[in-house]
Amino acid sequence: MALHSEPPVEPPVTPLTWRDPKRYLWLLGLVIPAFPFIAWGLVAATGLGVFWWIGVVVLYVIFPVVDQLIGKDSVNPPESALAQLEQDRYYRWCIFAYLPLQYAGLVLGCWLLAEGGLSLTGKIGLAVTLGGVSGIAINTAHELGHKKESAERWLSRIALAQTFYGHFYIEHNRGHHVRVATPEDPASARLGESFWRFLPRTVAGSLTSAWHLEKTRLGRAGKSLWGPHNDILTAWAMSVALFAALALAFGPGILPYLAFQAVFGFCLLEVINYTEHYGLRRERTASGRYERCAPRHSWNSDNVASNVFLYHLQRHSDHHANPTRRYQSLRHFDDAPEMPTGYAGMIVLAYFPPIWRRVMDHRVVAHYEGDVTRANIQPSKRARILARYGAAA
């Protein structure tokens, strides 16, 4: 079976005549790490403490609306331009710039929490806003962590330090990409599984998997699990050092808010994970192995706004087919299942399971042409789902 289907045929074009229509839109991704600065400025200008909650307003209200207003873009870069796109370092700097803004905003946020005279409500709102930045930073780390250059991989770990989620670097690359869209993958949501049930399963399962993967790697290399060669321990050490430095600089009173923003941040990542493979399952071949990952095993969206702010994460099928491919080169596939809106809107629906099921469950069944037994079904809901949708005729 082919690794992936062919994308739509593009008219002949040379690299010199093709221009990326989103080239300068990628800079809009830097609006997110600027959230703390924007909040501070708006509160100072208006005196309204509600602006400390700007992260919630933008992520859960403004972005979903903008996604719908702007619409979709399914245009692919032509094959002749891919090499040029991959080598253009401008796109890398759009990603790199996220990190200094991320940590400048974190320092500002800690100073405001310690010295800004905020009310408890204001402090919680600011912590949520910081968590929005750190959550999207995991997506930035995701883009960097798949690359071959060691500098980008180290930057990925630095981006993860704010959420104490450094094990994601290991589990995502060596675990999720191997087991994606199978019942064994803790990061692939099952049909009938609510986000609130998925969340503890994926958090615990991903950590357990990352530890097992690292233990296996170090065992094969003949190295100790408890030492500097353990990438999980070194990642956690970076987070401990970061939190300790901030506590020393601004007082231990900021630690509860740092913990809160970290939890909010990795929960934001996991709700995006929940949407990406919901109910989709790879079949086993005659040899007993799972078939190779194809476009039909990821939910996609071409909504422009979410794709710009998440570095084309919604072109998820091509990412799984070509993990090292850079975000600007990812392609749309006509045969990939499409979500009704972008990730920004879908994560809001995921928080409300009855609405999510009404929107998505029938799409999963339709994707499998009415044969729900082909889906990745939540075991505790299997009898109910089969009774509702019926087994294959």
Side-chain angles (χ1 to χ4, degrees), residues 31-32 44 53 76 80 90 180-181 251 283 291 304 308 313 325 377:
V31 169
I32 292 174
W53 294 81
N76 287 331
S80 60
Y90 162 81
V180 62
E283 298 289 342
E291 63 180 320
V304 175
V308 166
L313 182 65
R325 176 166 286 169
I377 302 175

Side-chain angles (χ1 to χ4, degrees), residues 32-51:
I32 292 174
F35 278 173
F37 298 96
I38 297 171
W40 185 32
L42 290 174
V43 171
T46 65
L48 299 176
V50 69
F51 285 113

Side-chain angles (χ1 to χ4, degrees), residues 208-253:
T208 302
S209 174
W211 189 261
H212 174 74
L213 289 167
E214 193 64 358
K215 182 179 179 180
T216 301
R217 180 185 72 86
L218 292 171
R220 289 173 178 170
K223 297 177 180 177
S224 171
L225 181 64
W226 304 99
H229 298 293
N230 187 320
D231 287 342
I232 297 177
L233 295 181
T234 55
W236 288 349
M238 291 173 66
S239 296
V240 169
L242 173 65
F243 281 35
L246 292 171
L248 286 173
F250 301 106

Side-chain angles (χ1 to χ4, degrees), residues 104-334:
L106 178 61
V107 171
L108 172 65
C110 289
W111 176 75
L112 289 168
L113 288 168
E115 308 291 343
L118 278 66
S119 65
L120 178 60
T121 302
K123 288 181 177 180
I124 295 173
L126 178 56
V128 170
T129 293
L130 291 172
V133 175
S134 65
I136 303 300
I138 301 178
N139 179 58
T140 305
H142 166 262
E143 173 65 23
L144 294 166
H146 275 292
K147 302 304 173 282
K148 297 178 181 178
E149 295 185 13
S150 60
E152 290 178 277
R153 291 174 178 256
W154 270 106
L155 289 173
S156 173
R157 300 181 191 187
I158 291 171
L160 292 168
Q162 187 176 339
T163 48
F164 234 108
Y165 226 55
H167 59 279
F168 170 84
Y169 172 85
I170 295 164
E171 160 56 20
H172 180 83
N173 289 16
R174 287 154 47 194
H176 174 63
H177 271 260
V178 174
R179 299 183 299 246
V180 62
T182 70
E184 292 78 24
D185 181 30
S188 293
R190 302 159 179 168
L191 178 65
E193 181 180 32
S194 73
F195 167 68
W196 303 109
R197 183 158 187 167
F198 169 80
L199 180 61
R201 180 174 73 84
T202 188
V203 171
S206 295
L207 176 56
T208 302
S209 174
W211 189 261
H212 174 74
L213 289 167
E214 193 64 358
K215 182 179 179 180
T216 301
R217 180 185 72 86
L218 292 171
R220 289 173 178 170
K223 297 177 180 177
S224 171
L225 181 64
W226 304 99
H229 298 293
N230 187 320
D231 287 342
I232 297 177
L233 295 181
T234 55
W236 288 349
M238 291 173 66
S239 296
V240 169
L242 173 65
F243 281 35
L246 292 171
L248 286 173
F250 301 106
I254 67 167
L255 287 174
Y257 298 101
L258 286 175
F260 181 80
Q261 66 82 31
V263 172
F264 184 89
F266 70 67
C267 287
L268 181 58
L269 161 78
E270 297 299 357
V271 73
I272 292 175
N273 274 342
Y274 177 78
T275 70
E276 289 173 338
H277 306 282
Y278 178 76
L280 303 179
R281 191 183 73 178
R282 288 151 59 196
E283 298 289 342
R284 288 190 183 273
T285 63
S287 67
R289 295 184 177 183
Y290 285 109
E291 63 180 320
R292 289 187 174 184
C293 191
R296 62 182 177 276
H297 299 127
S298 301
W299 289 100
N300 290 262
S301 171
D302 276 322
N303 285 83
V304 175
S306 288
N307 265 325
V308 166
F309 285 104
L310 295 175
Y311 305 115
H312 260 164
L313 182 65
Q314 297 175 146
R315 291 189 170 183
H316 211 58
S317 291
D318 199 14
H319 167 68
H320 273 279
N322 303 281
T324 61
R325 176 166 286 169
R326 296 185 181 275
Y327 68 95
Q328 67 271 20
S329 304
L330 293 175
R331 298 162 298 170
H332 159 86
F333 291 93
D334 286 334

Side-chain angles (χ1 to χ4, degrees), residues 363-382:
R363 285 181 164 84
V364 175
V365 176
H367 177 62
Y368 289 111
E369 300 175 324
D371 186 357
V372 72
T373 62
R374 294 166 59 194
N376 183 11
I377 302 175
Q378 173 69 10
S380 63
K381 300 288 183 66
R382 187 173 186 86

Side-chain angles (χ1 to χ4, degrees), residues 79-119:
E79 291 292 327
S80 60
L82 289 180
Q84 176 193 32
L85 272 176
E86 291 282 313
Q87 295 166 9
D88 191 339
R89 299 191 70 86
Y90 162 81
Y91 294 97
R92 303 186 199 186
W93 284 105
C94 290
I95 293 280
F96 296 163
Y98 192 104
L99 274 68
L101 280 174
Q102 173 191 350
Y103 281 99
L106 178 61
V107 171
L108 172 65
C110 289
W111 176 75
L112 289 168
L113 288 168
E115 308 291 343
L118 278 66
S119 65

